[in-house]
């Protein structure tokens, strides 16, 4: 029997500037670059690869998100490149990027640099940056094994301990950048590794990935043992990822078998399987865009849900993990079971094309007596007086009192902070307030509300519609 569960809430990635590329990243060779080592601890602003002009080679550093930013490093070298610095002994090297011991970040930050054909790096020394030594990195068994899978051994890796000039450095653009983009080649590369090296767990029953035995520095979940007990009695196999070898972890996901659990680094293993099937329980209504990017290039069938009755007990911060408790474990277990048994149907109305009645145009006024508008220089929606040489007002059309379409009279391409959509029309669900005098704009994919600030910033990132998320419709004529 098919059931519709109104209490179930889908989780959505919340970010902007996410991109999927079908073409491969660039591979470039840089001459006479300056390598500055990284010191242990947080990413510092000195390290990086700098060209002979002292400018940061941005494709060599770890970067994230949109607007795009580097982790540490500075746009210009803190020291001027000079022939006085020691020169590396080899004529040519391959840049292996930044390497750390966090499993998830290794898969999303380090591995994406090795998507290219092996002949680019197999016969070269690999220069890298790290807050750890080569010895410590390769003492981590799964790091050693993954590099061996692509034909690399510890003796090929080098971390210089002082500024060093590199005669020729081959830099392969990353095929995945955290919270920003992914190339299709990343999934193809990881799928090949999975087909060749993953160990089939020999499990046909649905799997639940448990964090019970994992000592996380980020979060703890009280009540998970009750969830796993219920699921075990219903035929689920409970698997503890940290107890598996790396090759077994690479086999956790299947296109035929459901793999479920609380979202975390273990879900990154889905990239080693083509078209994986899964259910991820999230710690709220959103999840990291890294999972979304992987899923898009990997044709994944993974659904993300907000965990029912999940309660945050503390105020997490630096060095203080988030402490969660499950108020009703049965609700969580039933969500997983019902999804596995195809009983869940989510009601979604994410297409305004289903509505025909069109009203407008209107202007949209904020609670600060400003109006939604753009400056034609960049086309980003902000709030202002609506007057200026490059200013174009935003016009709104309403469809059956449920949808609002935003556009300009000139058909400008529009964007908004914290919104991934870029188009000459932006569409939102319209939610009218109780007094019916104001309304809010809710994005149909992210379920986030549009907000404006007193200084005119407009962004789509609020979970709830409060005062700054309320707007007024002002009837007008485009002429």
């Amino acid at each position: 029997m098919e059931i519709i569960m109104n209490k179930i809430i889908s989780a959505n990635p919340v970010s902007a500037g996410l991109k999927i590329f079908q073409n491969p990243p660039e591979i470039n060779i840089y001459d006479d670059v300056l390598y500055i080592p990284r010191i242990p601890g947080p990413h510092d602003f000195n390290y990086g690869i700098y060209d002979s002009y002292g400018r940061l080679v941005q494709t060599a550093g770890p970067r994230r998100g949109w607007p795009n930013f580097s982790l540490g490093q500075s746009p210009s070298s803190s020291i001027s490149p000079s022939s006085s610095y020691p020169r590396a002994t080899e004529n040519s090297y391959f840049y292996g990027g930044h390497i750390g011991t966090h499993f998830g970040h290794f898969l999303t930050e380090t591995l994406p640099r090795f998507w290219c054909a092996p002949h680019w790096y197999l016969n070269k020394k690999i220069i890298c940056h790290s807050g750890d030594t080569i010895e410590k990195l390769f003492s981590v068994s799964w790091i050693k094994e993954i590099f061996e899978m692509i034909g690399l051994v510890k003796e090929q890796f080098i971390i210089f301990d002082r500024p060093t000039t590199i005669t020729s450095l081959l830099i392969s653009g990353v095929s995945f950048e955290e919270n920003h983009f992914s190339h299709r080649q990343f999934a193809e590369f990881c799928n090949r590794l999975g087909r060749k090296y993953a160990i089939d767990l020999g499990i046909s029953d649905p799997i639940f990935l448990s964090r019970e035995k994992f000592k996380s520095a980020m979060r703890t979940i009280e009540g998970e043992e009750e969830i796993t007990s219920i699921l075990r009695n219903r035929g689920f196999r409970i698997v503890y990822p940290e107890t598996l070898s790396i090759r077994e972890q690479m086999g956790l996901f299947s296109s035929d078998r459901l793999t479920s659990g609380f979202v975390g680094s273990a879900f990154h293993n889905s990239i080693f399987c083509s078209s994986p099937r899964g259910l991820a329980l999230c710690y709220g209504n959103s999840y990291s865009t890294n999972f979304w990017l992987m899923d898009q290039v990997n044709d994944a069938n993974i659904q993300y849900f907000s965990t029912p009755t999940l309660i945050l007990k503390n105020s997490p911060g630096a060095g203080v993990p988030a402490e969660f408790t499950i108020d009703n474990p049965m609700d969580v277990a039933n969500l997983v079971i019902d999804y596995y048994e195809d009983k869940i149907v989510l009601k979604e109305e994410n297409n305004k094309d289903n509505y025909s009645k069109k009203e407008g145009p209107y202007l949209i006024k904020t609670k600060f007596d400003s109006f939604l508008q753009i400056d034609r220089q960049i086309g980003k929606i902000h709030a202002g007086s609506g007057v200026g040489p490059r200013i174009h007002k935003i016009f709104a059309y309403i469809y059956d009192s449920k949808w609002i379409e935003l556009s300009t009279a000139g058909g400008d391409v529009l964007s908004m902070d914290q919104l991934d959509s870029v188009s000459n029309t932006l569409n939102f669900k319209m939610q009218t307030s109780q007094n019916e005098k104001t309304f809010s704009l809710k994005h149909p994919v992210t379920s986030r509300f549009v907000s404006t600030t007193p200084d005119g910033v407009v962004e789509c990132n609020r979970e709830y519609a409060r005062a700054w998320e309320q707007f007024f419709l002002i009837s007008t004529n485009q002429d």
Side-chain angles (χ1 to χ4, degrees):
M1 180 181 68
E2 198 174 76
I3 59 175
I4 297 175
M5 304 190 67
N6 295 322
K7 292 191 294 184
I8 293 178
I9 301 173
S10 288
N12 298 284
V14 180
S15 189
L18 302 179
K19 297 176 177 64
I20 300 298
F21 296 105
Q22 304 300 326
N23 57 304
E26 293 184 352
I27 299 175
N28 294 295
I29 297 175
Y30 293 82
D31 296 329
D32 292 323
V33 296
L34 180 65
Y35 170 104
I36 298 179
R38 182 192 157 186
I39 60 175
H43 290 274
D44 67 86
F45 287 95
N46 291 318
Y47 87 97
I49 301 292
Y50 295 87
D51 65 20
S52 55
Y53 299 100
R55 298 176 298 206
L56 179 69
V57 179
Q58 295 193 7
T59 54
R63 304 182 67 84
R64 288 181 187 168
W66 184 264
N68 198 226
F69 63 93
S70 63
L71 298 182
Q73 310 172 95
S74 60
S76 296
S77 175
S78 55
I79 53 177
S80 178
S82 169
S83 59
S84 298
Y85 290 112
R87 184 171 292 270
T89 55
E90 302 283 335
N91 288 328
S92 179
Y93 293 83
F94 182 89
Y95 185 62
H98 181 270
I99 305 177
T101 57
H102 184 282
F103 181 68
H105 288 302
F106 182 92
L107 296 186
T108 58
E109 187 176 295
T110 302
L111 195 59
R113 214 167 267 284
F114 292 89
W115 65 271
C116 55
H119 73 265
W120 289 105
Y121 55 77
L122 283 185
N123 297 318
K124 294 182 183 293
K125 293 288 187 179
I126 313 295
I127 293 175
C128 58
H129 283 97
S130 181
D132 298 303
T133 64
I134 297 295
E135 289 294 331
K136 182 175 180 179
L137 291 174
F138 277 81
S139 69
V140 180
S141 61
W142 55 262
I143 290 180
K144 178 177 179 291
E145 284 190 61
I146 290 177
F147 277 131
E148 287 176 348
M149 291 176 194
I150 58 177
L152 297 174
V153 294
K154 180 179 71 174
E155 289 71 25
Q156 289 177 261
F157 288 80
I158 298 173
I159 296 176
F160 295 112
D161 63 359
R162 67 197 69 188
T164 303
T165 299
I166 312 296
T167 301
S168 179
L169 183 62
L170 191 152
I171 299 179
S172 170
V174 291
S175 54
F176 185 99
E177 187 170 273
E178 293 187 354
N179 311 121
H180 188 197
F181 65 77
S182 184
H183 289 257
R184 181 70 64 173
Q185 287 72 19
F186 179 56
E188 293 171 351
F189 164 57
C190 292
N191 285 178
R192 288 195 300 271
L193 291 180
R195 287 192 297 269
K196 188 172 183 179
Y197 296 106
I199 293 178
D200 187 349
L201 299 180
I203 298 175
S204 58
D205 297 326
I207 286 176
F208 186 85
L209 304 178
S210 175
R211 300 172 62 92
E212 291 176 65
K213 299 181 180 181
F214 181 56
K215 305 301 181 183
S216 173
M218 295 185 63
R219 63 183 68 90
T220 60
I221 305 171
E222 181 183 348
E224 185 182 4
E225 65 280 359
E226 297 178 55
I227 298 171
T228 56
S229 176
I230 297 169
L231 293 176
R232 186 180 288 109
N233 291 334
R234 291 296 297 271
F236 280 70
R237 292 286 291 273
I238 310 304
V239 174
Y240 306 95
E242 68 277 6
T243 66
L244 304 178
S245 70
I246 183 59
R247 299 190 184 204
E248 290 172 324
Q249 290 189 52
M250 292 168 69
L252 280 174
F253 284 80
S254 166
S255 59
D256 302 318
R257 178 199 62 231
L258 179 71
T259 299
S260 58
F262 286 95
V263 71
S265 293
F267 268 76
H268 287 317
N269 285 299
S270 66
I271 198 64
F272 296 110
C273 168
S274 177
S275 304
R277 181 183 175 210
L279 181 154
L281 299 169
C282 303
Y283 309 97
N285 296 343
S286 62
Y287 61 94
S288 170
T289 53
N290 287 337
F291 297 105
W292 185 89
L293 289 167
M294 281 191 176
D295 292 348
Q296 294 302 303
V297 295
N298 200 25
D299 300 321
N301 178 20
I302 300 177
Q303 180 67 53
Y304 297 81
F305 289 106
S306 177
T307 304
T309 74
L310 182 73
I311 300 171
L312 179 62
K313 298 194 301 181
N314 68 335
S315 298
V320 180
E323 297 177 2
F324 292 97
T325 186
I326 305 293
D327 190 51
N328 191 335
M330 181 63 76
D331 282 357
V332 181
N334 283 338
L335 166 58
V336 178
I337 294 167
D338 289 338
Y339 182 81
Y340 170 66
E341 296 179 349
D342 292 326
K343 291 181 178 179
I344 293 178
V345 175
L346 293 175
K347 279 188 172 181
E348 293 185 353
E349 296 179 344
N350 290 343
N351 190 346
K352 75 170 179 57
D353 294 338
N354 297 328
Y355 301 94
S356 57
K357 185 180 178 182
K358 180 178 179 180
E359 301 175 29
Y362 298 93
L363 295 179
I364 297 183
K365 184 180 177 181
T366 76
K367 75 177 297 287
F368 305 107
D369 292 327
S370 55
F371 293 86
L372 296 192
Q373 63 183 37
I374 64 165
D375 185 319
R376 257 194 159 169
Q377 181 191 23
I378 58 175
K380 182 188 293 185
I381 295 178
H382 63 282
S385 65
V387 178
R390 298 186 307 274
I391 298 301
H392 285 248
K393 298 175 182 177
I394 295 295
F395 290 98
Y397 291 89
I398 301 176
Y399 292 79
D400 288 358
S401 301
K402 294 184 177 181
W403 285 84
I404 286 188
E405 178 185 89
L406 306 184
S407 62
T408 64
D412 299 270
V413 174
L414 307 177
S415 65
M416 184 183 294
D417 282 339
Q418 300 300 310
L419 182 65
D420 206 38
S421 303
V422 178
S423 176
N424 56 4
T425 61
L426 297 180
N427 298 293
F428 298 88
K429 290 182 178 180
M430 182 179 184
Q431 292 195 356
T432 306
S433 63
Q434 290 185 349
N435 62 20
E436 298 186 350
K437 293 181 179 180
T438 63
F439 67 94
S440 57
L441 298 170
K442 185 178 182 180
H443 194 264
V445 175
T446 66
S447 296
R448 290 309 197 258
F449 291 93
V450 175
S451 177
T452 186
T453 64
D455 58 357
V457 174
V458 175
E459 52 192 3
C460 184
N461 65 350
R462 305 302 171 91
E463 288 193 44
Y464 305 100
R466 299 189 174 98
W468 288 12
E469 291 74 52
Q470 300 299 320
F471 299 93
F472 303 87
L473 285 176
I474 307 297
S475 182
T476 185
N477 293 316
Q478 289 190 356
D479 53 10

